[in-house]
Each structure stands twice: as C-alpha cells, then as structure tokens.
Amino acid sequence: MACTGKIIFIWGSFLLISLLNVNRARNLLVALVCKPSSNNPIASGFIQTRDTHFVLNGSPFLFNGFNSYWMMQVAVEPSERYKISNVFREASAVGLNVCRTWAFSDGGYQPLQISPGVYDELVFQALDFVVSEARKYGVRLVLTLTNNLQDYGGRPQYVQWARSAGEPVNSDDDFYTNAVMKGYYKNYVKKVLTRLNTITGIAYKDDPTIMAWELINEPRCQVDSGKTINVWVQEMGSYVKSIDNKHLLGIGMEGFYGDSIQDRKQYNPIPGYQVGTDFISNNLIKEIDFATIHAYPDAWLPGQDDRLQIAFIQRWLTSHWTDSRTILKKPLIFAEFGKSKTYPGFNISAMDYFLNIVYTNIYNLAKNGGTMGGGLVWQIFTEGMESYYDGYEIVLSQNPSTTSIIAQQSNKMTKLKHSLNNPHGDIFEQAKDEAPDEPSLSI
C-alpha cells in the first residue's frame, strides 16, 4: 500500500528510460523502488487454480516474472545477501511479481543437502532469507526441488549417492525407478516443505509467498517417451500433496511432446524429436495443477534466422496454449525463455525484439480466453554478478531499453488482470465462451 501513490509515475517514467544513459537509468530505477511495507503485502492468500486460470482470493491472477536460479547459493554468504534484496527491489519496481529459483543444492559446493538426509543449516538459512525477502517485496516464488542436469547436483548426484550405497544403478534414468533414490528424494521434499523459516517463523508449506513447487527442472529420460516419468510424477506428486495441499504443484517440464498424441510431435524443435517426456500425458496427472513450457530458439534451432526462430515460438506457444485449454484444462506458464549473447549476430536490439514478440504473444493468449498465466524470463541479475552470467543475463539497471519492455509487459498484464476482475464473478465463463480456438499472435 505504501507504493500506491507512485504507480502512475513509475510507468510513465519507464517510457522514457530508453532515452537515458546507463547511469541515469540505474539512478532512476533506484529512485522508483518503493520501500517494503511492514504489513507484508504478500500475505493475502494462496495462489490457486480454477478451470484454466490462476486465481488469488477468487479473482484472476496474471503476472510477469523472472528466473534467478542462483539466489540461495549467493545468500549463503551474509555479506552478499544485498544482491538478493537488490534483485527483488529492482524487479518489483518494474512490476515483476513472480520469481522462479532453485530450492536445492545436492552435494558439491555449498550444498543444502550434503548427503542423503544430511543438511547444512547455514544454507537452509540462506533459503529462509530468499523466501523472507520475496515476501517483503511482494514477489511470489516458484521453488524447484531438484535438477535433471548435474548443475547443483540434481539427478546425477542422487545416482552417485545410490551407487556409493551399493545400489545396482545402470544409468541416471534409474533415478525415476530405483526405490532407494526415490526414498532420498522424498526425504528431501519432506524436509523442505516442512521447514520452519528462521526469519518469518512460517513453515514453507504454510507460506503464501510460495506460489508453487516444481518437482524437477527440465526432466528428461532416455528409457521411453514419457511413461517412466509419468509413473514418477504420479508418485512424487501424490507425496508432495500429502504433505502440502495448500500450494500449487508443477513438474518443471520444457514442453516436449511424446507419443500420446502423435501429430503433436511436429511442434517439437525438430519434428519427432523426443526427450522422454510427454507434455500431454505427464501434465494430465491430477496432482499437477499447471503446465509449463521453456523455449530457447537460438540454442534449439542453431543456424536459423530470427524469422524462423520467431515462427517456432509462435507455433510452440499456440500449440501448448491450445492443449492446456482444451485437453489438460489447466493453466500454462511460459517458465523459461531468453536470447543468449553468446550466439552470432546478437545485439541488444535483437534481444529486445525477441522479448517484445514473446511478451506480446503471452499477453494476447492471456487476453483471448485465459489459460496463459504469464511468463518468466531467463534471467535477472543485479550489478556485480558477472561470475554468474550465462549469456542470458539481464541487469535491469544497465539495460534501459530491455527494462522498459519488461516494465510495459508488467503494466499490460496488471491492467488485463484488473479488467478481468468484474463484480459479477463470471469472467471465467466469459473466457470459455468468447475465446477463439486459434488466437491471432504477433510475429
């Protein structure tokens, strides 16, 4: 509430930001940041779903958000925690209100889970800080519980632990079927969900700051086209819900199609290409509340020009939006997207064009029948974090034109959300009746 009087000024000012040099843009961003309210503005209810919509206290919830996977690791060092605060402060100043970040670090450097069932309390306190700062700045969190890749341990670390315990393990895919590894994972999930935050005094499973859990970042499996992961998601989804039935649950998938509907595989980056997941069958599991997609056309379609990459994004979004609305009947999040500086031909204008196209399509899909809840750009940093850069980095205080595009998208999604909150409560039925099957998207 303390920020209300500055809202009009904020959005108007950002229309001018592309005309400012980097230093002035940084100063403007700092000047616009509202002080966090002592009333904990996030504590207004849990995000839920109704039909194909996200809702908050019965009203549609739309958002513009971001990824910052690194937060817990950086927060381990108390002298570095200001970087987490800066990101939440700068992000909330441009209307970003959902953040996806890792709630795991399995083995290796600064692990949260040192070994199965053994945890580092200092790292847990770092995660406590991330959650408490998000709460302070009114940002909801999507917390991911492990990784398919070896970064921060993930599935390969669980396999290593099992091998060290004498388990007969053939490949990383045994993570999904081996009883010992499933037990390791369940124990970890229970530890995180029941964690009592040392700063807020609220158990994670009771904290509305958390919008959702994700079972695993970008699961893949070489055994089959989705059946193995289906069984694992069913088991782990049921387990999560048995502990925490207040929060939403997603899988964390990229969106690749499998065999359940053969013709959908034409929409994969390479037609017919599969990674052992099935967007349809995996997300139909009742414990899964929403679907996700990721897209990196410069990495997935190397050598193709911007026009072809944008055309892929349009097909990718439209097909998943349609299937989420008509088959899954669940909301959809565009949970990762970005454009890397490491690919030939990159420039800021190209990135801004890409983001503008993606944001316009997200908005149009949300407007034309709902289902699309919002997007989470990959990824936001604050100044002085060069060692974490991966090519997709966005520093809001240093990228004025990009910051302006992000702020405009936040403003559009907020206005759309308000327009849907009519006093008769019938917007969901209107969306069903009025939405076209194939909305016109911008290229």
Side-chain angles (χ1 to χ4, degrees):
M1 296 298 292
C3 300
T4 305
K6 301 180 183 178
I7 291 176
I8 296 175
F9 174 69
I10 289 174
W11 299 119
S13 297
F14 269 103
L15 294 178
L16 301 175
I17 203 167
S18 60
L19 302 178
L20 303 175
N21 60 36
V22 169
N23 289 332
R24 292 181 63 197
R26 178 175 62 248
N27 294 338
L28 176 60
L29 183 60
V30 171
L32 292 178
V33 171
C34 299
K35 294 181 180 179
S37 169
S38 60
N39 295 325
N40 291 329
I42 203 70
S44 58
F46 291 87
I47 305 298
Q48 300 174 317
T49 61
R50 178 180 171 188
D51 299 322
T52 64
H53 307 268
F54 291 108
V55 295
L56 175 59
N57 299 324
S59 297
F61 178 76
L62 300 175
F63 57 88
N64 190 28
F66 63 102
N67 284 269
S68 288
Y69 76 86
W70 46 266
M71 286 190 164
M72 181 180 70
Q73 185 184 46
V74 172
V76 171
E77 175 53 58
S79 66
E80 295 289 292
R81 290 184 176 181
Y82 73 92
K83 294 176 181 176
I84 287 82
S85 303
N86 285 351
V87 164
F88 282 134
R89 184 184 302 113
E90 294 165 5
S92 64
V94 295
L96 293 168
N97 58 348
V98 174
C99 170
R100 178 172 175 262
T101 191
W102 294 171
F104 66 88
S105 181
D106 309 311
Y109 177 67
Q110 290 185 334
L112 173 54
Q113 185 174 201
I114 300 169
S115 60
V118 180
Y119 307 96
D120 188 324
E121 174 60 21
L122 293 178
V123 181
F124 244 135
Q125 289 177 18
L127 186 56
D128 292 346
F129 179 79
V130 172
V131 175
S132 68
E133 286 298 281
R135 179 182 181 88
K136 184 185 299 183
Y137 290 103
V139 177
R140 306 269 175 174
L141 295 174
V142 176
L143 295 180
T144 307
L145 295 167
T146 196
N147 203 359
N148 176 68
L149 305 172
Q150 65 181 2
D151 299 321
Y152 293 84
R155 188 164 61 119
Q157 181 63 71
Y158 280 91
V159 170
Q160 182 178 325
W161 284 333
R163 281 202 177 106
S164 298
E167 282 296 299
V169 177
N170 296 317
S171 74
D172 286 359
D173 289 336
D174 289 350
F175 169 82
Y176 300 113
T177 57
N178 180 275
V180 169
M181 280 187 274
K182 290 193 292 183
Y184 292 163
Y185 178 82
K186 286 181 178 179
N187 289 341
Y188 179 72
V189 166
K190 183 177 181 180
K191 186 70 174 181
V192 173
L193 271 57
T194 59
R195 168 74 176 180
L196 186 67
N197 192 309
T198 57
I199 299 174
T200 66
I202 303 171
Y204 287 9
K205 66 184 180 67
D206 298 322
D207 193 341
T209 307
I210 299 168
M211 173 179 173
W213 305 104
E214 283 188 340
L215 294 175
I216 180 172
N217 175 55
E218 298 185 341
R220 294 189 176 193
C221 178
Q222 299 302 313
V223 174
D224 52 44
S225 65
K227 294 180 181 179
T228 297
I229 286 180
N230 232 47
V231 175
W232 184 83
V233 169
Q234 177 69 72
E235 180 177 352
M236 298 309 164
S238 297
Y239 184 73
V240 168
K241 290 294 188 178
S242 73
I243 299 171
D244 178 3
N245 61 5
K246 296 178 181 178
H247 288 106
L248 301 178
L249 179 65
I251 302 173
M253 290 173 52
E254 298 158 280
F256 291 104
Y257 287 104
D259 291 338
S260 61
I261 302 181
Q262 288 289 331
D263 74 336
R264 292 301 193 276
K265 289 189 287 186
Q266 67 179 302
Y267 298 112
N268 288 344
I270 301 173
Y273 177 72
Q274 296 176 242
V275 298
T277 60
D278 189 315
F279 177 78
I280 301 296
S281 64
N282 297 159
N283 283 301
L284 277 172
I285 293 170
K286 68 176 182 178
E287 286 80 8
I288 300 305
D289 298 301
F290 62 93
T292 59
I293 58 173
H294 300 178
Y296 295 99
D298 50 5
W300 291 359
L301 304 171
Q304 295 195 12
D305 60 27
D306 288 346
R307 179 183 61 82
L308 292 174
Q309 292 183 11
I310 292 298
F312 163 76
I313 285 287
Q314 181 181 16
R315 292 191 303 271
W316 192 246
L317 275 166
T318 304
S319 63
H320 289 86
W321 176 84
T322 300
D323 291 337
S324 296
R325 191 169 72 89
T326 61
I327 299 176
L328 303 180
K329 302 185 186 306
K330 298 177 181 181
L332 176 67
I333 297 176
F334 198 174
E336 285 190 29
F337 57 90
K339 192 171 183 65
S340 176
K341 298 175 174 67
T342 64
Y343 287 91
F346 175 88
N347 57 62
I348 293 297
S349 295
M351 182 173 73
D352 289 348
Y353 175 75
F354 172 81
L355 289 180
N356 194 51
I357 291 295
V358 170
Y359 282 148
T360 299
N361 288 323
I362 288 173
Y363 174 81
N364 286 343
L365 290 172
K367 184 178 180 181
N368 288 283
T371 304
M372 176 60 73
L376 308 174
V377 67
W378 187 279
Q379 65 172 316
I380 300 296
F381 290 95
T382 192
E383 295 179 20
M385 299 193 65
E386 288 79 3
S387 63
Y388 284 87
Y389 286 0
D390 61 354
Y392 294 93
E393 63 276 357
I394 298 172
V395 180
L396 295 171
S397 60
Q398 295 177 347
N399 300 101
S401 61
T402 305
T403 301
S404 177
I405 290 169
I406 291 172
Q408 290 173 40
Q409 174 72 359
S410 299
N411 193 24
K412 288 170 63 178
M413 295 298 281
T414 298
K415 287 182 178 179
L416 178 59
K417 177 179 66 176
H418 291 330
S419 74
L420 297 178
N421 290 326
N422 74 35
H424 304 294
D426 57 359
I427 185 61
F428 301 105
E429 294 303 319
Q430 291 177 12
K432 290 180 183 177
D433 295 340
E434 297 174 3
D437 288 335
E438 297 291 341
S440 175
L441 301 185
S442 299
I443 303 182

